[in-house]
Amino acid sequence: MTLVIQEALMTAGAALLQAVGLLAVAPLLKTVIKKMKARLQNRQGPPLLQGYYDLAKWFGKEAVRSETASWIYVAGPRVYFAAALAATTLVPVVFAAAPLEAAGGILLLVGTLAFGRFALATAALDTGSPFGGMGASRDMTIAALAEPALMLGLFASALAAGSMNLGVLIRTLLQGGIALHPSDMLAFAGLFMIVVAETGRIPVDNPATHLELTMIHEAMVLEYAGPDLALVEWASAVKELLYLTLLAGLFMPVGMATTTAPAALLVGFLAWTGKVFALAIAVTLVESTNAKLRLFRVPELVAISLGLAFLALAIRFL
Amino acid sequence: MTVTDVAYGLPLALALRFGIAVVTGLTAGRRDVARRVAFLGSGVASLITGLTAARVVWSGTPAEGVLFVHQAAGVTLAYSIDGLAAWFLMVLAVVAIPIALFSLGYVGGPHWSRQSVFLGITFNLLVGAIEVVFAASDAVTFLCAWELMTLASAALVATEHQERASRRAAFLYLVMSHIGTGCLIAGFLMLSAWSGSLSFSTILSGVPALGPTRHVLFALFFLGFGVKAGIVPLHIWLPEAHPAAPTSISALMSGVLIKTGVYGIARVCVFGLGVPPLSWGVIVVVVGGLSAVLGVLYALMQHDLKRLLAYHSIENIGIIFLGLGAGMMGMAYGRGDVAAVGVAAGLYHVLNHAVFKGLLFLGAGGVVMATGTRQIEQFGGLLRRMPWTGLFFLVGAMAISGLPPLNGFASEWLTFQAFLFGFRGSGEPLVYLLFPIGGALLALTTALAAACFVKAFGMTFLALPRSRSAAEAGESPMVMLAPQAWLATCCVGLGLFPGFVLRALQAAMVSLPGLQPPADLAQGGLGMASGLESFDHVVPALLGMALVAGLAIAGLLSARRGAAARRVPTWGCGGELTARTEYTATAFSKPLMMIFRGVYRPTRAVEALSDVSTYFTQEVRYRAEIEPTFERYVYGPLVALVLRVAAGMKVLQAGSLHAYLAYVIVMVVSLVLLVWWRS
């Protein structure tokens, strides 16, 4: 019995450690992308710690909320944050196993993120501001279109490895060694587009603008201020880091630690940092070289991604 | 044999219902008494059948018996509650008891109380008929109960018969249902003619249906039951009939009545006609996927809360069919494990949909009663006036959107498993393609449902009231809230303990042929897994714990000592913020309407009215509507054809007595000639 409790405590500890770790790194990723983007535009860009300064500033402010809003408005950012945090425990990061692997795999991860999105979009409708409704409507629309492409892309890699559980899946990939199948590249391209859409980046959404005609995510959270806003922004950053980690793990699992030896963990950490950085560069390049698409052009992008994922499945199994 | 023997359960409940109906009729002068007798009694009767069904599942031995014998006519109405029937009877009881309780308050309201006696008697009749449909063990009993169920529900749809829309809905429902019943009668007659028996145990053993004729049988039964289930394209009656009925009846119809179609398909098409060939599974999957996606797409465009929920019933029936279809394909391949996962997913979703759709309809009933309208655009801000209804509706909305750890996620997870897991074990290109496409369709459906319920909940309960009636609405009475609380608890409980549900399901599926549930399908009470080599598993409760921990961390981070939040008006873009500046439900779903315009084919007309000059507009009128594709292009020509044929037949029946006499003589002579020629 004590063994069971010990094991449960270890799992909880690992989950907490991973959640806190990703929480700590996430603001840095956002700023790094901003900084690289600025450099590409011959600007100086914000200091590397700007993400943390922003969070500290927001947390220090008083909470200002709309008179018309109900408890849903307060709950929204908290549930969104909790869902992002819970999602971090389902994804292998440095170690080739997720802390809460026992809870479930890809389907649970996608469901958890959908839960957070549902909460935030619902809360956005609570103030009565037209911006909230506009943002929620667009965000749910794009999410609805992206979901099948995301699932199909994940299926393509999961079915090849024979497991829908991320931990098992990545360990299988690691054992098999590096054998890049052409279908992996198609699935990767498809999923990368979906990650761009889900994290609100150009060409789907522009995280830097507050122009009412174009914003999606920013419109949804326009009414939030102070600690509420800090939670939303932080959770969004965690989500972005999580998506990049997921891509890195599924398509480049090389270097992930399979033992708890310090050296292996160090290698795993360095590999993870490198891979996420490389993906961040890719995101930056895409953001810098593309124009934002009109909202009604986004379905075409998603359709391309869906097609790629389907092709990936087709050439792998037909 | 004691009185508590399972064999007494169903007859006892039915006798009770009959007694209730009589007493309700006798106390018609005192509506309050009649209402209490009818609905409380109905709850007790449902409890009896529910417990009987639970005992059947628990013990594994079917409860059998005879309901009625007429020696002279040689008619015996028999019943047999086996695992499959018991599962559906349990689903019925889980939902019918809270609905009966809710009706106690709802029918007592000013709008319906004049109809108390009618509603009370017909409600009991309807629930009793559904019980017999699930329990019937021969074709005659089944068809009698089926017809009684149709007539009772049609009467309930026409409760507000003074309104043209209700009469039309009831008529459409009757016509469609009888087309379906006609198919069923033809199917059962073919089966009994070949086997010489009416008993299900003979005609549905898979033996009489052999050779190519079984495809005909499949088509007849699939059409017949499909009408009742509301699959696309046989669904057109559903979004008319469900909203027209009183809301507690809508809840029963959407929650359980359409499941009689699913039950029939499971009983006959999946397990009754021998091992289904691959093509049947493909048909069921395709129809299921089509129903799921089109159902949710049409739901998105509805701004009548009850119609929206009705379209979601079509979507969820589609999801159930996806599960069953995957199971049938598994059976066709001889993969008992895939078949078991698929069928279990379908049956699990039957339960879940009954629970959350019942909950949502009851919540909608409370809202409609409080505001006097069904239009979402007239609601708004109701969470302040109706906090409990809002909370329960939110739980239902999250469950139907398939969000973990609620119950909708659990059954959709299992449906995904049937598809992904099936993918691995099959060897034909067609199946390779169909399985992932089915998965993608399911993902699209779930995500669209989430978008739809953000709209439905947000526009109804959040922000500012959009009408006077919404601003003055009051919370529902306790007797209407308690059933919603129970169903909301079920939504959470059935999601957190999928292992227990699957245990019960496995017990219920034991008697079904061709299924081999994977040994580790249910993992303890909390988890489920999809068999072979631990392909995937899920323990929603663990995620629930992670979410609670995350909420605690969020609370800690954002808590500031002693500082209450400052309340300020929402920024109204420089103007005053009123309900008129809010985003509307129409606007919310507009992007999806634009994106899926190929499906909707929207038309819109903007008309600017001005007095003096076109530059000084007095009024702008905006009309937008989506094309009722099926009504216009499928049923329109069909109805026109029927009318044309009828017009042609008028010549035969022109009112001339001489002509009719001539017909009789011609008929007699030709019969005589026929007999003479044959002998």
Side-chain angles (χ1 to χ4, degrees), chain A residues 143-219:
Chain A
L145 297 175
E147 190 107 329
L150 175 69
M151 285 282 197
L152 217 51
L154 291 173
F155 293 168
S157 31
L159 289 173
S163 176
M164 294 287 287
N165 192 291
L166 282 168
V168 180
L169 169 56
I170 285 176
R171 285 195 293 278
T172 316
L173 289 177
L174 275 176
Q175 270 170 12
I178 313 166
L180 266 185
H181 195 275
S183 86
D184 283 336
M185 303 192 191
L186 292 177
F188 175 78
L191 276 181
F192 187 78
M193 288 157 104
I194 291 306
V195 167
V196 165
E198 293 262 352
T199 53
R201 294 261 167 210
I202 291 175
V204 174
D205 188 8
N206 187 349
T209 184
H210 280 109
L211 187 68
E212 54 269 324
L213 291 178
T214 61
M215 50 183 177
I216 299 172
H217 183 79
E218 293 298 321

Side-chain angles (χ1 to χ4, degrees), chain A residues 108-129:
Chain A
L108 191 70
L109 175 71
V110 174
T112 309
L113 293 173
F115 188 44
R117 187 187 311 120
F118 184 94
L120 197 64
T122 308
L125 292 172
D126 205 8
T127 61
S129 154

Side-chain angles (χ1 to χ4, degrees), chain B residues 530-542:
Chain B
S530 71
L532 279 179
E533 309 143 39
S534 65
F535 177 65
D536 196 2
H537 64 92
V538 71
V539 184
L542 269 180

Side-chain angles (χ1 to χ4, degrees), chain A residues 62-63 65-67 103 137 317, chain B residues 384 539 566-568 570 588:
Chain A
E62 69 174 334
R65 291 178 191 138
S66 164
E67 281 166 353
S137 157
F317 293 103
Chain B
R384 287 173 177 232
V539 184
R566 189 150 60 90
R567 289 288 180 173
V568 292
T570 308
F588 189 94

Side-chain angles (χ1 to χ4, degrees), chain A residues 11-101:
Chain A
T11 309
L16 197 67
L17 196 68
Q18 179 156 323
V20 170
L22 289 185
L23 212 53
V25 182
L28 188 64
L29 174 73
K30 267 233 142 90
T31 322
V32 164
I33 293 178
K34 255 188 209 161
K35 182 105 183 158
M36 290 194 296
K37 222 175 125 182
R39 280 296 166 82
L40 280 173
Q41 297 166 344
N42 279 329
R43 290 189 290 116
Q44 193 53 234
L48 274 179
L49 297 180
Q50 188 61 46
Y52 302 98
Y53 300 151
D54 285 343
L55 285 180
K57 179 180 74 183
W58 289 324
F59 274 123
K61 291 193 169 199
E62 69 174 334
V64 180
R65 291 178 191 138
S66 164
E67 281 166 353
T68 46
S70 61
W71 61 267
I72 297 278
Y73 182 74
V74 185
R78 283 157 184 77
V79 174
Y80 184 60
F81 187 84
L85 223 52
T88 59
T89 62
L90 298 174
V91 178
V93 179
V94 173
F95 195 63
L100 275 193
E101 210 170 285

Side-chain angles (χ1 to χ4, degrees), chain B residues 365-398:
Chain B
V367 169
V368 172
M369 191 164 139
T371 58
T373 175
R374 303 197 312 231
Q375 297 302 318
I376 293 181
E377 309 282 28
Q378 304 282 313
F379 299 148
L382 285 174
L383 193 62
R384 287 173 177 232
R385 318 281 315 183
M386 313 176 74
W388 291 107
T389 307
L391 178 68
F392 299 140
F393 195 89
L394 180 63
V395 172
M398 295 199 316

Side-chain angles (χ1 to χ4, degrees), chain B residues 287-311:
Chain B
V287 166
L290 202 67
S291 301
V293 173
L294 284 179
V296 71
L297 278 178
Y298 282 120
L300 271 161
M301 293 302 128
Q302 301 306 319
H303 304 120
D304 171 329
L305 189 54
K306 285 176 72 179
R307 269 179 85 92
L308 181 146
L309 293 175
Y311 270 110

Side-chain angles (χ1 to χ4, degrees), chain B residues 285-520:
Chain B
V285 167
V286 168
V287 166
L290 202 67
S291 301
V293 173
L294 284 179
V296 71
L297 278 178
Y298 282 120
L300 271 161
M301 293 302 128
Q302 301 306 319
H303 304 120
D304 171 329
L305 189 54
K306 285 176 72 179
R307 269 179 85 92
L308 181 146
L309 293 175
Y311 270 110
H312 272 288
S313 295
I314 299 174
E315 171 221 330
N316 279 284
I317 287 291
I319 295 176
I320 293 168
F321 273 48
L322 281 176
L324 285 181
M328 286 169 86
M329 286 164 76
M331 286 166 82
Y333 275 113
R335 289 284 307 264
D337 46 356
V338 178
V341 172
V343 171
L347 293 182
Y348 197 169
H349 203 71
V350 163
L351 172 63
N352 288 340
H353 176 247
V355 169
F356 55 62
K357 188 51 67 66
L359 172 60
L360 288 167
F361 258 119
L362 294 191
V367 169
V368 172
M369 191 164 139
T371 58
T373 175
R374 303 197 312 231
Q375 297 302 318
I376 293 181
E377 309 282 28
Q378 304 282 313
F379 299 148
L382 285 174
L383 193 62
R384 287 173 177 232
R385 318 281 315 183
M386 313 176 74
W388 291 107
T389 307
L391 178 68
F392 299 140
F393 195 89
L394 180 63
V395 172
M398 295 199 316
I400 198 173
S401 305
L403 300 178
L406 296 168
N407 62 348
F409 173 78
S411 44
E412 277 164 23
W413 184 90
L414 209 57
T415 314
F416 270 119
Q417 296 307 318
F419 277 97
L420 299 170
F421 190 52
F423 182 86
R424 300 187 61 224
S426 55
E428 280 184 38
L430 166 75
V431 184
Y432 270 166
L433 292 177
L434 202 60
F435 276 109
I437 290 177
L441 283 181
L442 186 55
L444 178 67
T445 306
T446 318
L448 286 173
C452 191
F453 274 93
V454 167
K455 174 187 99 170
F457 176 78
M459 296 299 161
T460 306
F461 288 99
L462 301 180
L464 296 165
R466 289 159 214 267
S467 68
R468 180 159 224 197
S469 50
E472 289 165 358
E475 181 60 286
S476 305
M478 198 57 190
V479 67
M480 285 165 66
L481 287 176
Q484 296 177 46
W486 155 250
L487 289 173
T489 314
C490 283
C491 281
V492 179
L494 293 173
L496 285 179
F497 299 101
F500 286 128
V501 181
L502 281 181
R503 279 284 164 70
L505 251 178
Q506 271 174 296
M509 295 195 311
V510 160
S511 60
L512 300 175
L515 305 183
Q516 297 154 353
D520 57 350

